[in-house]
Amino acid sequence: MIVRSKVEENTLALDLWNKMKNNEHCDVILISNEGDRFPVHKTIIFCRSRGLGKLISKMSNTMVNLNMSTSILTGLLQYIYTDRVDPLKTPIALLKISVNFELPGLKNICEKALIDSITPKNVASLIWIADNFFCEALKKAGLAYLEENARSIVKTITWEVMEHVNPELFEEVCQSQG
């Protein structure tokens, strides 16, 4: 939930978010996997997300089923309407959505959150994700983390999968460690 400060009470982003939340002048309904309905403004969707706009334009009616959970759809719409996701509970899922729906700002938010969450146990997974979703900052941060914490890295199944499925990435990681 977005908490308004005194300064933010009349921002365009929060005004638009409230219009959506109150179903004012909405012309499309997005539906989550759980069946929850989100009335939205087609114009705002088209302006903010080329990918989601294309998906909506392919549909012949005003109801669009999206293959995502209610929590992910809520985060996506919160970003589209306000440039924020608060709280950011699922950065990996939203990162994938941001790439698919062409939302570079959301991608940056998710990438930063993932950089801040790097641990010895998840570094391999995050490097893998960074490589798959073209997140250069996350990849660099993961490689730097490996270099700084080489002795504490936990060998996970992800390392073995990376070695077999994406040997180029595995080799790049190994070479970065000298």
Side-chain angles (χ1 to χ4, degrees), residues 92 95-100 107 111 114 124-136 138-139 158 161-162 165-170 172:
I92 294 172
L95 176 67
K96 294 174 184 178
I97 299 287
S98 73
V99 171
N100 291 338
K107 180 181 174 187
E111 194 170 0
L114 292 172
S125 297
L126 293 178
I127 291 172
W128 178 272
I129 288 165
D131 191 64
N132 284 316
F133 293 103
F134 312 102
C135 300
E136 288 305 312
L138 178 58
K139 189 173 181 179
T158 308
V161 171
M162 185 189 302
V165 175
N166 192 339
E168 296 84 16
L169 177 60
F170 186 76
E172 181 181 346

Side-chain angles (χ1 to χ4, degrees), residues 1-4 8 14 17 78 82 84 86:
M1 169 181 267
I2 296 179
V3 178
R4 290 182 186 218
E8 297 179 311
L14 289 173
W17 178 249
Q78 191 178 56
T82 69
R84 298 179 188 188
D86 184 29

Side-chain angles (χ1 to χ4, degrees), residues 45-77:
I45 299 297
F46 275 80
C47 288
R48 301 283 290 152
S49 173
R50 174 186 251 158
L52 185 53
K54 286 177 188 176
L55 180 67
I56 289 172
S57 67
K58 290 179 183 178
M59 303 298 172
S60 59
N61 60 29
T62 60
M63 296 181 117
V64 179
N65 287 304
L66 294 178
N67 187 23
M68 64 182 76
S69 70
T70 295
S71 64
I72 299 299
L73 183 51
T74 299
L76 171 64
L77 292 174

Side-chain angles (χ1 to χ4, degrees), residues 80-178:
I80 287 173
Y81 277 82
T82 69
D83 275 337
R84 298 179 188 188
V85 181
D86 184 29
L88 182 58
K89 295 178 184 176
T90 53
I92 294 172
L94 282 171
L95 176 67
K96 294 174 184 178
I97 299 287
S98 73
V99 171
N100 291 338
F101 289 152
E102 302 175 45
L103 291 160
L106 180 57
K107 180 181 174 187
N108 291 337
I109 290 169
C110 296
E111 194 170 0
K112 182 179 180 334
L114 292 172
I115 288 169
D116 293 343
S117 75
I118 295 174
T119 67
K121 289 183 179 180
N122 72 7
V123 67
S125 297
L126 293 178
I127 291 172
W128 178 272
I129 288 165
D131 191 64
N132 284 316
F133 293 103
F134 312 102
C135 300
E136 288 305 312
L138 178 58
K139 189 173 181 179
K140 286 179 185 176
L143 293 173
Y145 186 91
L146 283 174
E147 189 172 324
E148 294 169 13
N149 301 282
R151 294 190 190 274
S152 63
I153 300 304
V154 176
K155 184 167 180 163
T156 62
I157 190 72
T158 308
W159 289 113
E160 292 177 31
V161 171
M162 185 189 302
E163 184 177 13
H164 294 291
V165 175
N166 192 339
E168 296 84 16
L169 177 60
F170 186 76
E171 182 66 27
E172 181 181 346
V173 170
C174 291
Q175 286 178 356
S176 74
Q177 300 310 299

